[in-house]
Amino acid sequence: MITDAGPLSVLTLSDLAIRAAVELDRRTAGQPSDVCIFDELARALRRTSEPVSNAAAFHFIEPGYFSPFEWLYRHQESRQSGKVEDIQAFIKKTSEALEHVERGDQAGASELQNFCLALHQALIQELTAEGGFVVHNGGQRDSAAEVGFSPA
């Protein structure tokens, strides 16, 4: 379980996103799913995208999250670019949808699964870009492709 103390790492949010995608897949297939992950991801999204101040004019997204959230907003909302408050509203709407799924509402589950997969991908790309590494498929060895990291 994620606590609200301290900063949330990009890797932790990425892990929550992929776990939620798996549970959404299980749920849409009629299999039992761990619904707690939806609330955890919703809280983590709000924690990384909401203002840390009560001042209405203060808009802030945690460092390291703006690029992935902005990319998701542009691709999922079909917008060219977004202001911080638009991205925050998009993340809040998604958080609320995750909470509805947790309570048993199946509407929008496949869109949420796509969001979770795209979020995971965007966060991993952000991590590899910041670390100066490129994720790549290696050459063939014993007819199985190796996946690894190399300096950018």
Side-chain angles (χ1 to χ4, degrees), residues 15 22 41 48-49 52 64 70 80 86 89 93-94 123 126 147:
D15 181 57
V22 169
L41 179 57
T48 55
S49 67
V52 293
E70 194 263 344
Q80 289 300 327
D86 295 335
K93 179 182 78 170
T94 303
L123 291 169
E126 183 74 13
V147 176

Side-chain angles (χ1 to χ4, degrees), residues 4 25 28 30 36 45 70 74 78 95 102 114 117 122 130 145:
D4 290 334
D25 188 50
T28 56
C36 294
L45 287 169
E70 194 263 344
R74 283 189 295 113
S78 300
S95 297
E102 179 189 24
N114 291 337
L117 291 171
E130 286 179 1

Side-chain angles (χ1 to χ4, degrees), residues 44-144:
L45 287 169
R46 283 192 305 271
R47 183 171 155 196
T48 55
S49 67
E50 289 183 351
V52 293
S53 161
N54 290 334
F58 184 71
H59 295 285
F60 176 80
I61 293 178
E62 284 287 332
Y65 294 99
F66 179 79
S67 292
F69 288 170
E70 194 263 344
W71 180 85
L72 279 167
Y73 173 76
R74 283 189 295 113
H75 285 84
Q76 299 225 333
E77 295 291 310
S78 300
R79 307 280 199 234
Q80 289 300 327
S81 65
K83 297 182 286 184
V84 171
E85 54 269 13
D86 295 335
I87 296 167
Q88 287 173 324
F90 167 68
I91 297 298
K92 182 178 181 179
K93 179 182 78 170
T94 303
S95 297
E96 291 168 353
L98 282 163
E99 290 168 343
H100 290 302
V101 168
E102 179 189 24
R103 291 191 290 268
D105 186 1
Q106 293 289 63
S110 95
E111 290 85 9
L112 281 173
Q113 185 178 16
N114 291 337
F115 170 87
C116 290
L117 291 171
L119 175 61
H120 174 73
Q121 178 184 4
L123 291 169
I124 291 299
Q125 287 176 342
E126 183 74 13
L127 279 171
T128 57
E130 286 179 1
F133 289 92
V134 176
V135 179
H136 66 88
N137 288 332
Q140 298 288 340
R141 179 186 284 170
D142 297 331
S143 71

Side-chain angles (χ1 to χ4, degrees), residues 32-47:
S33 63
D34 179 7
V35 296
C36 294
I37 190 66
F38 306 133
D39 179 59
E40 283 188 63
L41 179 57
R43 285 187 304 119
L45 287 169
R46 283 192 305 271
R47 183 171 155 196

